[in-house]
């Protein structure tokens, strides 16, 4: 009878695993492409990736990024390019973590970590400066005292490069791959990446994979060293 | 037959035992309400695949205590337009009957304290069940005086709805209770229990119908889902207690849950054999209490299940169900029970004890009477509905 079906539905819920997660005690695993607090990346030689082009600031819908570029000092360059990010600030009271800055960045200087639990109690802490955003020499984010970093939050911040190489090296032309991640190396390809083409039906010839593997990792290529 | 406690005159010990029983009942009800609110929230969370309160104490068992403490520290608002005295009185008119009604529930057999035999029941007045009905009627005063004295139109409308609902279903409930009284031949709850002891439960002694009528009417009477139109937060501002805050609001809340426990206890007493159950020789005084609370627990949990499952009725559906279905049905059943009782008493030859053929005749008569009765009723309802239709056509399509 229709009337009693409803009673069955509700009672059957008792024996199912709970949907609710008691948040502060237990935490869900975060998605691979989770948008959290930003980091400013470095190359493996310690050079900053940011070239101060302000594309991130231009694309930001919340207008929370402030960048001022400056010319690299010739004797002690900060980044491999002509200019570097002299001032880099993100106001986290405004940031909506849309990831558009990461997509706009031509050098993958800015990426997002998985950290989202950073509740500051001072407005000044909300504006992250370049010093706070930059990763350290090991490629690890600098952890602020009010941030609750969990294992894995700093992982998988590298960007997915679409169909071309970031630096225009011919060996990478037309090939999709992860760019290197300081401190973690290059992520293994996921399903549908690198070993297969973008449509996923024609696998890439073995020779090309070998060539791609043989190419020097990011940071050791000649063009990285300006 | 009164409580054996008072059989040998009243001395100090008897007075003390009575006071002890009063305090125990009061404390038990308060604790039971706290636990029931917690259990309701926890169980409905289970039924909805959630976790529910789990912060205060183990499994959140202290949650309602924490809520109570919070509510006691809140400001006690008094609306400027309120009728001050009645506004202050109304919550007690709702809460006190809820407490008092439980006093006549037999929770167990006789025990002896310091040489005095006494019922495990606070009071066993000769008017018994009538007292219950009276208390539930007084609770209606608490509801409609709250709305009236708030000096605001929303509580007034809410209280009109609420009291209309409670009064409507009281009729069906009383008729279902009357059937119980009819077979017992006594109004006292004690007699009603002992008459059912051990397995002659009224649930099947009367056919299941009065029991079903009772639970439906009682659910409506205490404003529990699916009859919680009184505080239908999608439709109303907040019902009759819109203007109440702090302790007074808590009293209404308390009364609501206490009423649920009380009507469940009444249902257990009237239909489910009260403290009766399998007899166990070990600790014979304890087991009736256990059976009683076990039945009570199952019953109040079933209310939570109802709440989790059934959608709320519309107001006209509520009234239709009460007036056009439950009241005629319970009246029919009451007359049926009465007819069979009379037949038994007068030893008429068509009693079921005389021959199987008579049983068939009885069933046929009952069915025939039912067809005539409900057919006439249905025709009357249809005529009424048609008249409403015509009225609304005359009024230009507006349903009046």
């Amino acid at each position: 009878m229709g009337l009693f079906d409803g009673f069955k539905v509700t009672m059957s819920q008792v024996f199912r695993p709970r949907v609710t997660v008691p948040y502060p005690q237990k935490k869900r695993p975060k998605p691979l492409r989770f948008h959290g607090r930003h980091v400013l990346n470095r190359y493996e030689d310690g050079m900053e990736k940011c070239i101060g082009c302000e594309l991130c600031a231009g694309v930001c819908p919340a207008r929370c990024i402030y960048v001022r570029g400056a010319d690299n000092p010739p004797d002690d360059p900060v980044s491999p390019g002509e200019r570097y990010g002299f001032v880099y600030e993100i106001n986290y009271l405004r940031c909506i973590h849309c990831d558009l800055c990461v997509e706009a960045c031509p050098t993958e200087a800015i990426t997002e970590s998985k950290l989202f639990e950073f509740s500051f109690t001072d407005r000044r802490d909300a504006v992250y400066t370049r010093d706070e955003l930059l990763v350290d020499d090991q490629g690890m984010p600098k952890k602020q005292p009010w941030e609750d970093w969990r294992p894995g939050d700093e992982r998988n911040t590298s960007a997915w490069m679409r169909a071309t190489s970031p630096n225009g090296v011919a060996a990478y032309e037309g090939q999709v791959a992860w760019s290197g991640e300081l401190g973690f190396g290059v992520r293994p390809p996921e399903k549908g990446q690198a070993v297969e083409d973008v449509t996923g039906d024609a696998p890439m010839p073995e020779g090309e994979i070998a060539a791609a593997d043989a190419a020097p990792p990011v940071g050791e290529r000649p063009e990285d060293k300006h | 037959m009164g409580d054996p406690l008072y059989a040998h005159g009243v001395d100090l010990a008897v007075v003390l035992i009575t006071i002890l029983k009063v305090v125990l009942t009061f404390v038990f009800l308060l604790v039971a309400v706290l636990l029931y609110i917690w259990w309701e929230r926890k169980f409905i969370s289970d039924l909805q695949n959630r976790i529910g309160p789990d912060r205060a104490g183990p499994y959140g068992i202290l949650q309602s205590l924490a809520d109570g403490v919070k509510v006691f520290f809140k400001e006690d608002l008094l609306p400027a337009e309120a009728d001050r005295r009645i506004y202050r009185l109304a919550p007690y008119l709702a809460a006190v009957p809820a407490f008092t009604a439980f006093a006549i529930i037999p929770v167990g057999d006789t025990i002896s304290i310091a040489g005095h035999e006494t019922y495990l029941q606070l009071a066993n007045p000769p008017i018994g069940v009538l007292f219950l009905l009276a208390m539930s009627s007084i609770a209606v005063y608490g509801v409609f005086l709250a709305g009236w004295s708030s000096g605001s139109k929303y509580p007034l409308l809410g209280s009109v709805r609420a009291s209309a609902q409670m009064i409507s279903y009281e009729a069906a409930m009383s008729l279902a209770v009357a059937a119980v009284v009819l077979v017992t031949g006594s109004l006292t709850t004690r007699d009603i229990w002992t008459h059912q002891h051990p397995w002659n439960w009224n649930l099947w002694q009367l056919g299941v119908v009065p029991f079903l009528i009772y639970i439906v009417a009682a659910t409506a009477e205490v404003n529990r889902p699916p009859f919680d139109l009184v505080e239908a937060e999608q439709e109303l501002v907040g019902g009759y207690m819109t203007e109440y805050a702090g302790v007074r609001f808590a009293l209404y809340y308390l009364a609501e849950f206490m009423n649920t426990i009380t009507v469940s206890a009444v249902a257990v007493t009237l239909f489910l054999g009260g403290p009766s159950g399998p007899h166990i020789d070990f600790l014979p005084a304890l087991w009736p209490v256990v059976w009683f609370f076990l039945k009570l627990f199952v019953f109040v949990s079933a209310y939570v299940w109802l709440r989790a499952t059934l959608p709320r009725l519309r107001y006209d559906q509520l009234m239709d169900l009460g007036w056009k279905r439950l009241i005629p049905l319970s009246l029919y059943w009451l007359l049926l029970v009465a007819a069979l009782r009379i037949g038994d008493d007068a030893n008429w030859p068509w009693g079921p004890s005389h021959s199987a053929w008579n049983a068939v005749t009885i069933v046929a008569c009952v069915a025939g009477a039912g067809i005539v009765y409900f057919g006439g009723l249905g025709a009357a309802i249809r005529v009424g509905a048609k008249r409403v239709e015509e009225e609304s056509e005359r009024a230009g399509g507006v349903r009046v």
Side-chain angles (χ1 to χ4, degrees), chain A residues 23 27 30 34 36-40 92 111-119 128 132-135 139-157 181 184:
Chain A
Y23 161 64
K27 296 186 179 182
K30 290 165 190 160
F34 191 86
R37 192 265 257 183
H38 300 82
V39 287
L40 280 177
Y92 279 104
T111 53
E112 287 193 295
S113 68
K114 309 278 171 285
L115 171 77
F116 71 98
E117 291 148 306
F118 50 115
S119 52
Y128 276 54
E132 290 165 320
L133 290 167
L134 260 179
V135 295
M140 297 300 166
K142 287 174 192 152
K143 296 170 182 179
Q144 309 302 327
W146 58 85
E147 292 175 344
D148 183 15
W149 285 88
R150 300 275 155 168
D153 277 358
E154 67 272 40
R155 290 204 65 117
N156 296 339
T157 57
E181 197 177 336
F184 296 104

Side-chain angles (χ1 to χ4, degrees), chain B residues 286-369:
Chain B
L286 172 76
W287 288 103
V289 183
V290 172
W291 299 135
F292 178 80
F293 285 112
L294 204 64
K295 289 173 191 174
L296 186 63
F297 176 73
V298 170
F299 214 91
V300 293
S301 301
Y303 269 125
V304 181
W305 195 10
L306 279 179
R307 179 183 157 190
T309 306
L310 295 176
R312 186 183 297 127
L313 267 72
R314 215 171 48 218
Y315 197 69
D316 61 317
Q317 292 171 334
L318 175 91
M319 285 299 167
D320 278 4
L321 180 65
W323 288 101
K324 296 183 188 168
R325 289 179 178 78
L326 287 188
I327 292 178
L329 183 63
S330 53
L331 191 61
Y332 169 74
W333 209 266
L334 178 67
L335 294 174
L336 195 68
V337 170
L340 290 177
R341 295 289 305 172
I342 292 170
D344 261 7
D345 288 351
N347 204 17
W348 286 349
W350 45 271
S353 44
H354 277 76
S355 83
W357 180 245
N358 281 343
V360 175
T361 321
I362 288 173
V363 169
C365 286
V366 165

Side-chain angles (χ1 to χ4, degrees), chain A residues 4-68:
Chain A
F4 296 103
D5 286 350
F7 287 98
K8 217 165 60 189
V9 168
T10 42
M11 195 43 94
S12 70
Q13 301 299 320
V14 176
F15 307 103
R16 289 192 193 164
R18 294 287 166 271
V19 172
T20 321
V21 175
Y23 161 64
Q25 279 80 37
K26 280 196 193 123
K27 296 186 179 182
R28 283 171 198 272
K30 290 165 190 160
L32 208 57
R33 284 147 177 83
F34 191 86
H35 296 171
R37 192 265 257 183
H38 300 82
V39 287
L40 280 177
N41 295 307
R42 292 174 189 272
Y43 292 112
E44 264 146 52
D45 59 357
M47 287 284 190
E48 291 179 20
K49 286 188 178 178
C50 180
I51 54 172
C53 69
E54 300 185 25
L55 280 177
C56 48
V59 80
C60 180
R63 300 270 178 142
C64 67
I65 306 182
Y66 174 63
V67 186
R68 199 149 48 137

